[in-house]
Amino acid sequence: MIATPQLAHFASPLPSLQLASGAVLQQYDLAYETYGTLNADKSNAVLICHALNASHHVAGVYEGRADSEGWWDSMIGPGKSVDTNQFFVIGVNNLGSCFGSTGPLSINPETGKPYGADFPLVTVEDWVDSQARLLDFLGIKTLAAVMGGSLGGMQALSWSIRYPERVRHAVVIAAAPNLSAQNIAFNEVARQAIMTDPDFHDGNYARINALPKNGLAVARMIGHITYISDDQMETKFGRGFREGKKFSFAPEFQIESYLRYQGEKFSQYYDANTYLRVTKALDYFDPAADCGGDLAKALSPAAAKFLIISFTTDWRFSPARSREMVRALLDDKKNVTYVEVDAPHGHDAFLLNNAQYHAVVKTYFAKQIAPVNITSQEAAA
Amino acid sequence: MITRADFAAIASWIPEGARVLDLGCGDGSLLAYLSQTRGVSGYGIENDEVSIIQCIENGVNVIQVNLESGMAEIADQSFDIVILSQTLQAMKRTEAVVAEMLRVGREAIVTFPNFGYWKHRTQIALGGRMPVSEDLPYQWYDTPNVHLFTIADFEAFCTARNYRVLNRSVFTNGVEQRFLPNLLGTLALYRFAASA
């Protein structure tokens, strides 16, 4: 499947975007990709929300670049669990990101320079609001499903609360209803690594062609530790050396070498200001906070049916966090299916191939989401 | 073996539109039947991977929980009826599971194979072997049934715990059995509640 990135430009006379922080974006772009065909009554659209470091390139490959597979290509495509022969799938790059949508690296039209530190902080709710505008732009009123893993799952949850009439199914994978103090702590260490890098220049590094690469790499190394289970790290690396002890601080253990490689690779394609903002959006996400901490109350407007999936060895967003959402949905008498997938990989499992996980998603899309579309298609015809 | 006759008996005890929790719901067919015939809104609790996929196929809300470790997700008295069909005999913590049923639900329905059925009695009394039958199809060494009991045992259990039995139906191979149920019945269905 060949993917083609597209850009939607939002500017006057379209209304400006009011952000949770109070800041206003007069104009902005959203990069997106679509796969499959929108049916006649526009009832088969599925929005995929991305997690921390991903983008609108969800599935397929770019023309002539076989190695450019989308980040959830194992899940989404023709005949796959989310079958693009049946569904019209939309991937969107979030505001504040660095893959095409307006973000800190974009040129601020008011100054003619990169936004840098001036780019406002964005929240999960801001992303959801901007995604809703993309749907308006595409002429889609209602989503057959909104789906995401991790931070993407939080957006799916937020969608069900903010736009209940526009979401028929919310698929929330490896997510949490808010971050724990430990989660926030890891994020803060990552941010400090970036902000204390001498090349950070208070966030305005792009204006002087500097890059806080080392800080960003360390931030990614910290993140990576939380994505993998202890057992998986032990299995994959253990105490293995690359070439044995050398009594130096060069990367000697395989795990050191792995983390440095991941950090280095990440720092070449990701933006430090984006990392700061995305981790902050994670920290702030807490839909229950506006309802006195009562998640059931926060979710009470939702009209969607929910599929919640967690992974047994995920310690970043553990199954207990998913069960909190399930309990709130049960209290609200909402339709919910909850699956706790037995997988060894930790948080990263949501991106990997696991037979039970994929069977659950495939069956849910085929049996619970698709039939409604077929009916409405027939009704339209 | 659960049959449509048993489904119908269970359905007859459930008010229209009730909120139902089915523990160990298998492929979700009982819940699907109850939602078609009684318009119940319900959830199945299951921990088996294959059964969970079947529930999703059958359009049933299924929550993956290990029953033995409790149902902390579910609030007190949040269901009208909690069903445990053909599973009580396989629970390690029988008492705790029944108590949990009556914590989350106002009423409980259990169905179980009657160990007191005469053929079971003769197999053990005359053959000297543990009974194997259509309702208890396992050998002693591979059975998931760790607590086999009779209709009389269950009634004594309810009496000891002050549970009020609201309905009882006994079947023999899918046909209702009113005569000497503990001797002639193969499958028992009870609806009961905690003492008022």
Side-chain angles (χ1 to χ4, degrees):
Chain A
M1 189 171 66
I2 299 298
T4 313
Q6 291 172 277
L7 207 60
H9 183 60
F10 298 84
S12 178
L14 289 171
S16 55
L17 188 69
Q18 171 83 53
L19 303 175
S21 66
V24 175
L25 280 179
Q26 296 295 346
Q27 54 173 301
Y28 54 95
D29 295 324
L30 289 179
Y32 68 99
E33 288 179 13
T34 69
Y35 323 95
T37 311
L38 189 61
N39 61 7
D41 63 351
K42 303 185 178 182
S43 64
N44 67 337
V46 174
L47 178 70
I48 305 295
C49 303
H50 70 72
L52 200 148
N53 66 312
S55 73
H56 51 293
H57 184 43
V58 176
V61 293
Y62 293 134
E63 187 82 63
R65 284 181 51 203
D67 64 342
S68 64
E69 270 181 1
W71 59 270
W72 222 352
D73 192 69
S74 62
M75 180 69 85
I76 296 155
K80 295 184 182 174
S81 298
V82 179
D83 186 354
T84 52
N85 291 327
Q86 272 200 298
F87 294 100
F88 177 68
V89 178
I90 307 159
V92 56
N93 187 213
N94 285 333
L95 271 181
S97 183
C98 50
F99 299 113
S101 293
T102 301
L105 284 178
S106 308
I107 301 297
N108 182 347
E110 285 170 27
T111 63
K113 291 179 188 162
Y115 279 101
D118 296 336
F119 195 85
L121 266 67
V122 282
T123 64
V124 167
E125 290 76 16
D126 293 334
W127 287 333
V128 168
D129 289 350
S130 65
Q131 290 160 5
R133 299 216 177 164
L134 179 67
L135 289 197
D136 296 341
F137 172 85
L138 296 170
I140 295 163
K141 276 209 185 87
T142 309
L143 290 167
V146 56
M147 172 172 172
S150 190
L151 175 56
M154 293 170 170
Q155 291 160 64
L157 193 70
S158 179
W159 257 101
S160 74
I161 299 169
R162 290 180 86 73
Y163 299 97
E165 72 289 351
R166 299 187 78 165
V167 182
R168 288 214 307 277
H169 294 268
V171 182
V172 179
I173 303 168
N178 61 21
L179 261 60
S180 67
Q182 188 194 50
N183 293 145
I184 296 171
F186 277 115
N187 280 347
E188 174 57 7
V189 176
R191 285 191 294 265
Q192 283 300 319
I194 291 169
M195 291 189 291
T196 56
D197 186 315
D199 285 325
F200 182 64
H201 299 283
D202 294 325
N204 290 318
Y205 46 88
R207 296 177 195 178
I208 52 168
N209 284 321
L211 265 184
K213 275 191 66 175
N214 294 332
L216 186 56
V218 172
R220 178 61 168 176
M221 289 165 77
I222 294 158
H224 242 285
I225 297 168
T226 71
Y227 304 151
I228 314 173
S229 70
D230 191 12
D231 280 352
Q232 183 70 4
M233 215 181 249
E234 202 55 39
T235 308
K236 229 170 144 178
F237 308 103
R239 293 187 46 81
F241 283 95
R242 295 166 68 213
E243 292 165 5
K245 242 181 272 184
K246 290 185 173 168
F247 296 95
S248 83
F249 295 109
E252 295 180 323
F253 287 98
Q254 283 180 13
I255 182 63
E256 290 178 299
S257 156
Y258 171 80
L259 286 177
R260 288 206 198 187
Y261 170 77
Q262 290 295 339
E264 171 67 21
K265 192 173 80 170
F266 185 72
S267 69
Q268 286 171 10
Y269 73 86
Y270 206 78
D271 177 49
N273 276 319
T274 293
Y275 202 93
L276 296 179
R277 279 156 183 74
V278 173
T279 54
K280 204 72 189 177
L282 270 161
D283 292 358
Y284 281 149
F285 181 68
D286 188 6
D290 293 335
C291 298
D294 185 344
L295 186 62
K297 202 172 163 192
L299 282 165
S300 63
K305 293 187 172 190
F306 289 83
L307 171 61
I308 312 262
I309 299 174
S310 71
F311 299 92
T312 49
T313 53
D314 184 351
W315 61 278
R316 181 181 175 91
F317 297 145
S318 71
R321 303 310 317 274
S322 283
R323 284 191 225 118
E324 286 176 42
M325 295 186 271
V326 173
R327 166 142 199 180
L329 292 166
L330 286 173
D331 286 349
D332 284 336
K333 308 184 176 169
K334 308 287 186 200
N335 284 297
V336 54
T337 283
Y338 171 60
V339 183
E340 210 166 284
V341 177
D342 187 12
H345 308 98
H347 188 61
D348 262 351
F350 89 88
L351 292 167
L352 303 174
N353 284 320
N354 171 293
Q356 175 69 0
Y357 169 40
H358 278 235
V360 164
V361 174
K362 191 181 184 74
T363 310
Y364 191 85
F365 270 81
K367 300 290 179 178
Q368 300 213 17
I369 306 183
V372 180
N373 292 312
I374 290 160
T375 314
S376 52
Q377 257 179 300
E378 280 165 1
Chain B
M1 218 169 60
I2 197 126
T3 64
R4 289 285 143 169
D6 311 327
F7 278 25
I10 292 173
S12 73
W13 295 343
I14 293 182
E16 192 73 34
R19 226 169 114 67
V20 174
L21 188 68
D22 184 0
L23 307 182
C25 65
D27 65 4
S29 53
L30 175 60
L31 267 179
Y33 175 81
L34 292 176
S35 94
Q36 280 157 24
T37 56
R38 309 299 293 163
V40 305
S41 69
Y43 305 85
I45 301 281
E46 187 52 75
N47 198 30
D48 176 68
E49 291 189 349
V50 175
S51 299
I52 287 166
I53 301 286
Q54 290 168 335
C55 284
I56 297 172
E57 269 175 7
N58 288 328
V60 166
N61 287 322
V62 60
I63 313 286
Q64 184 166 8
V65 170
N66 180 350
L67 278 182
E68 300 274 10
S69 56
M71 298 182 284
E73 292 77 10
I74 300 167
D76 294 358
Q77 300 293 293
S78 55
F79 284 88
D80 298 318
I81 294 176
V82 182
I83 301 171
L84 187 67
S85 176
Q86 298 268 39
T87 306
L88 193 57
Q89 75 281 357
M91 296 274 102
K92 290 195 188 77
R93 298 162 58 245
T94 317
E95 277 190 279
V97 169
V98 174
E100 189 73 347
M101 288 174 79
L102 291 172
R103 175 184 71 79
V104 301
R106 294 191 292 103
E107 293 177 5
I109 292 174
V110 298
T111 77
F112 58 87
N114 177 30
F115 198 67
Y117 179 51
W118 69 272
K119 283 189 185 169
H120 299 155
R121 297 192 197 195
T122 42
Q123 280 188 52
I124 199 162
L126 302 178
R129 302 277 306 271
M130 285 299 280
V132 178
S133 68
E134 200 178 329
D135 288 281
L136 293 170
Y138 303 99
Q139 294 290 342
W140 64 274
Y141 47 81
D142 65 3
T143 180
N145 300 325
V146 292
H147 283 126
L148 289 165
F149 55 103
T150 69
I151 288 174
D153 287 331
F154 187 73
E155 301 220 341
F157 171 77
C158 288
T159 305
R161 272 151 200 76
N162 266 335
Y163 295 152
R164 287 176 297 134
V165 173
L166 306 169
N167 292 100
R168 182 184 80 182
S169 276
V170 177
F171 288 85
T172 305
N173 303 323
V175 178
E176 182 131 30
Q177 180 62 255
R178 290 173 198 278
F179 181 64
L180 296 177
N182 195 36
L183 191 61
L184 301 180
T186 54
L187 182 74
L189 291 71
Y190 278 82
R191 181 168 74 101
F192 62 102
S195 54

